[in-house]
Amino acid sequence: MDPATERLVLQPAGLGPGQTCQSIAANPASAPGGAPGNFACQPDNIAFANLVSELAFAMSPNAFHPARTTGFGGFALTAEASYTKINADAFSTATDGTKVQYWHQGTRGPTDPTTGAFQSVNDNPDSILQVYSLKARKGLPLGFEITGALGYLANSSLWMLGADVRWSPFEGFRTGPGGVLPDIAVGGGVRTVMGTDKFSLTTVAMDVELSKPIPIADTFSLTPYLGFQRLYVFGDSTVINSAPNVDPLAQCGYTGPNATTGQPNCTNKLPNGSVNNSDFNNLFIFSKVRTDRNRAIIGTAFRYEMIHVAGQFLFDLTDPTADNQGFLNGTRQWTISLEAGVFF
């Protein structure tokens, strides 16, 4: 499931049977009309945005905690497993009407057992993304708490690093009118994804939660909670080579930049006498991804002395297309998370 965004390209019109912009890059002389520069790969920005936004849903702050903090001087160390539904077989529709299965095209599949090469299409992408994380939570004075998180996306080389901060202004009331009211917390978090050179991905979330601990036999504590989260996704493409099997420098016979124009000087020629530099046109950057999601949170935490276990369901509260100019796949996503750890 590693990203392979160089496959998210739009094929230009006018190609011959069986031809692609990648095959033209490998053999420019085969371009219709002898003009390979007219048949360069173009980025499918909508497919890229859908893939990045759905990946971000899985690798983002999930506010997996009740409203009450660990308390002044408290500390918690937990392990978390999160399972996020993605639209593995969904299509995006490009501006030219082309439909692309962005998870099939945009991720690597299994390798060929004989050659070790990756398939050109991921025939069976995971429908559930599995993220496993370690979290450390530290309570601070005045109802504040900070969290550090490190996570890993299974079946990939992607890692996640981030931090959270939240404030529970009214916690601590146990008796009187304040003891009847639920705890409330407001907070936020940030996560950044590592392990790919295809793009940078950062998610920022702001949330509010309500919870109420229920003591059981003066020994156990059960704490149900509800919350709302606003998630912001910032995805930025690096320079993508849509014909990675072709070296544009070697193909053109590169000798350095032109002193006047800055364009590459190439010594290799095509049969029609033109310079063989068309593969430079197959380098591009996808449009920036700036999306947001409204997410609801339902969870329960259980504690016995130092032992803590919890479960949470996080889901799209509104259609993802509503705030994103209609280009995101309309199918809502959800995440189920499980957690276990110790409190000190």
Side-chain angles (χ1 to χ4, degrees), residues 4-5 17 47-48 60 74 118 177 179 224 227 231 237 249 258 267 291-292 337 341:
T5 54
F48 177 74
S60 60
F118 287 100
L231 176 67
S237 170
L249 298 179
N258 185 286
T267 58
T291 64
D292 45 69
S337 299

Side-chain angles (χ1 to χ4, degrees), residues 249-264:
L249 298 179
Q251 188 185 73
C252 85
Y254 181 72
T255 60
N258 185 286
T260 302
T261 65
Q263 297 296 312

Side-chain angles (χ1 to χ4, degrees), residues 1-268:
M1 292 293 288
D2 283 329
T5 54
E6 66 275 5
R7 300 174 182 169
L8 299 177
V9 299
L10 301 175
Q11 298 295 335
L15 291 174
Q19 286 188 315
T20 64
C21 57
Q22 291 88 351
S23 70
I24 296 297
N27 182 16
S30 67
N38 297 331
F39 299 94
C41 300
Q42 299 298 318
D44 188 340
N45 293 308
I46 294 178
F48 177 74
N50 275 273
L51 186 147
V52 168
S53 185
E54 291 188 20
L55 176 64
F57 192 103
M59 306 187 75
S60 60
N62 59 5
F64 192 4
H65 48 67
R68 184 167 294 184
T69 71
T70 56
F72 176 45
F75 181 79
L77 183 63
T78 58
E80 175 189 317
S82 293
Y83 305 94
T84 300
K85 172 189 174 294
I86 61 171
N87 304 303
D89 297 321
F91 290 85
S92 64
T93 303
T95 53
D96 66 353
T98 302
K99 293 185 177 295
V100 174
Q101 287 184 291
Y102 45 91
W103 282 105
H104 287 253
Q105 291 291 125
T107 58
R108 290 180 178 174
T111 58
D112 186 296
T114 303
T115 64
F118 287 100
Q119 298 178 357
S120 59
V121 174
N122 187 354
D123 293 325
N124 189 30
D126 297 341
S127 59
I128 300 291
L129 297 185
Q130 306 172 49
V131 178
Y132 301 99
S133 308
L134 291 176
K135 287 185 176 179
R137 294 164 51 192
K138 179 68 175 70
L140 299 172
L142 303 178
F144 285 93
E145 181 182 271
I146 56 174
T147 301
L150 176 66
Y152 168 70
L153 178 64
N155 196 23
S156 80
S157 60
L158 299 182
W159 290 81
M160 173 188 70
L161 181 66
D164 305 325
V165 62
R166 63 189 175 108
W167 181 42
S168 183
F170 306 120
E171 72 175 4
F173 293 101
R174 301 292 185 271
T175 60
V180 178
L181 299 175
D183 293 309
I184 183 171
V186 293
V190 61
R191 298 288 185 274
T192 186
V193 174
M194 305 172 292
T196 179
D197 60 357
K198 308 295 184 182
F199 52 80
S200 62
L201 175 58
T202 300
T203 55
V204 177
M206 297 183 292
D207 56 77
V208 58
E209 289 187 326
L210 293 172
S211 70
K212 182 64 177 177
I214 303 172
I216 303 174
D218 295 327
T219 304
F220 305 95
S221 175
L222 184 68
T223 307
Y225 61 93
L226 297 170
F228 169 80
Q229 184 185 72
R230 180 74 165 179
L231 176 67
Y232 299 92
V233 177
F234 302 88
D236 294 280
S237 170
T238 58
V239 177
I240 300 299
N241 184 355
S242 56
N245 295 325
V246 180
D247 182 351
L249 298 179
Q251 188 185 73
C252 85
Y254 181 72
T255 60
N258 185 286
T260 302
T261 65
Q263 297 296 312
N265 285 323
C266 297
T267 58
N268 294 339

